[in-house]
């Protein structure tokens, strides 16, 4: 979270950054805003996104991680919670020596962002009762965003000590987020699509340095997605991609993305989140599109890598 105006360390906050999979078709986002306003009317709520795919904890965690270093210090309220109503823990996690607190389910959603900002300092389970909305027996336990997380976030902004929200827990026991590692198979880099933005650009789990190790700067590359083989080139801007080729660009998160000029790379290459992509050195005089007999690479198969790359929530 970026430096800025915030008290922290139990002195209250003036900003809540809110991310969820609630969408905007229902009343959920508005209700959470209203609960926060009733408890902490001084607080500004920044809607990071509510477009995370329903129940997609990994996508929510990645979105939060992409945003984390640009969010104002304060409280981060993140709710992608397919386990709502079960015994999964609800938690509040302090980072940056109290500059920010992340509130949400302990299901791996918070872990990538916590790791990116240096790890957790303190953490508590949201098991206290004083800050929750007044119990209404006729209502079910399916909306913890309204009944548990929003009140906790709002009371933190009003100066409630973190310790008052519930018992302390060891940050090392927080659920880690699992992100795939790229791998090297022979002369090829084997990557996975982490995210597809609304323009169809496909973010891969590749650092630009991995491309540097694969081929000299300026050397043509080839991208294999399923049965499709394309000539690719490294570019600095989307508009630099040559017609008929796939661009490999360092995106705003510092990772490598696939791009096609003025079109969706995902649609063009038949890619989805989790799909496998292979990148290798291009054959001299190779065509931009392989014939139907190209080697098959199964979409959705995770690349061979060390068992699970933990992005943990601990220190």
């Amino acid at each position: 979270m970026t430096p800025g105006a915030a008290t922290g360390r139990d002195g209250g906050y003036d900003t809540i950054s809110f991310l969820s999979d609630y969408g905007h078709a229902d009343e959920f986002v508005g209700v959470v805003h209203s609960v926060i306003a009733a408890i902490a009317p001084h607080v500004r709520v920044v809607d990071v996104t509510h477009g995370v795919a329903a129940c997609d904890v990994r996508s929510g965690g990645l979105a939060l991680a992409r945003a984390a270093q640009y969010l104002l210090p304060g409280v981060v309220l993140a709710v992608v919670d397919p386990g709502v109503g079960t015994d999964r823990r609800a938690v509040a996690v302090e980072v940056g020596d109290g500059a920010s607190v992340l509130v949400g389910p302990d299901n791996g959603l918070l872990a990538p962002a916590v790791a990116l900002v240096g790890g957790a300092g303190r953490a508590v389970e949201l098991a206290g009762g004083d800050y929750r909305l007044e119990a209404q027996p006729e209502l079910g336990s399916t909306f913890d965003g309204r009944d548990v997380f929003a009140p906790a976030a709002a009371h933190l902004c009003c100066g409630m000590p973190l310790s008052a929200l519930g018992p302390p827990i060891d940050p090392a026991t927080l659920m880690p987020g699992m992100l795939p590692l790229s791998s090297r198979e022979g002369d090829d880099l084997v990557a996975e699509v982490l995210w597809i933005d609304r323009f169809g650009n496909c973010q891969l789990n590749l650092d630009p340095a991995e491309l540097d190790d694969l081929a000299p700067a300026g050397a043509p590359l080839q991208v294999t997605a399923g049965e499709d083989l394309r000539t690719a080139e490294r570019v600095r801007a989307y508009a630099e991609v040559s017609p008929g080729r796939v661009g490999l660009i360092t995106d705003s998160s510092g990772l490598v993305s696939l791009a096609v000029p003025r079109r969706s790379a995902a649609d063009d290459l038949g890619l989805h989140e989790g799909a496998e992509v292979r990148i290798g050195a291009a054959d001299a005089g190779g065509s931009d599109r392989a014939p139907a007999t190209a080697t098959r690479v199964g979409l959705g198969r995770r690349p061979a890598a060390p068992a699970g790359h933990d992005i943990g929530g601990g220190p």
Side-chain angles (χ1 to χ4, degrees), residues 12 28 48 77 130 164 194 212 271 295 298 301:
F28 305 137
V48 179
L77 172 59
D130 293 342
L194 293 178
D212 295 336
L271 292 172
T295 302
R301 182 169 63 84

Side-chain angles (χ1 to χ4, degrees), residues 76-284:
V76 175
L77 172 59
V79 190
V80 180
D81 193 16
V84 63
T86 69
D87 60 358
R88 67 94 184 91
R89 294 187 299 191
V91 297
V93 182
E94 184 184 80
V95 298
D97 292 326
S100 295
V101 179
L102 290 84
V103 174
D106 182 24
N107 59 5
L109 175 67
L110 307 180
V114 169
L116 271 179
V117 297
R122 297 184 293 164
V124 301
E125 182 175 3
L126 301 180
D130 293 342
Y131 66 89
R132 299 188 180 208
L133 291 190
E134 184 176 348
Q136 301 180 63
E138 69 277 12
L139 301 181
S141 57
T142 63
F143 196 176
D144 279 357
R146 175 194 66 192
D147 300 334
V148 178
F149 299 126
H155 282 295
L156 283 168
C157 289
C158 291
M160 177 177 281
L162 184 69
S163 58
L165 296 179
I169 56 178
D170 182 350
T173 68
L174 293 169
M175 182 72 71
M178 299 298 291
L179 298 182
L181 289 171
S182 61
S183 64
R184 192 75 178 258
E185 292 186 5
D187 294 329
D188 289 345
L189 275 173
V190 184
E192 181 172 318
V193 177
L194 293 178
W195 173 51
I196 299 172
D197 68 19
R198 70 180 300 271
F199 301 101
N201 302 310
C202 301
Q203 183 183 73
L204 305 178
N205 59 335
L206 285 180
D207 187 282
E210 295 180 79
L211 294 182
D212 295 336
D213 293 338
L214 183 67
L221 299 169
Q222 62 185 23
V223 169
T224 305
E227 295 184 344
D228 207 344
L229 176 65
R230 301 289 186 90
T231 299
E233 57 190 359
R234 297 186 69 175
V235 296
R236 294 175 299 173
Y238 298 112
E240 293 180 356
V241 184
S242 302
R245 294 196 171 188
V246 175
L248 294 165
I249 188 169
T250 301
D251 65 21
S252 60
S253 300
L255 295 176
V256 175
S257 282
L258 300 177
V260 175
R262 300 180 182 273
R263 300 198 310 277
S264 165
D267 291 345
D268 216 39
L269 296 169
L271 292 172
H272 55 82
E273 291 183 7
E276 180 181 282
V277 173
R278 288 176 175 259
I279 302 174
D283 295 331

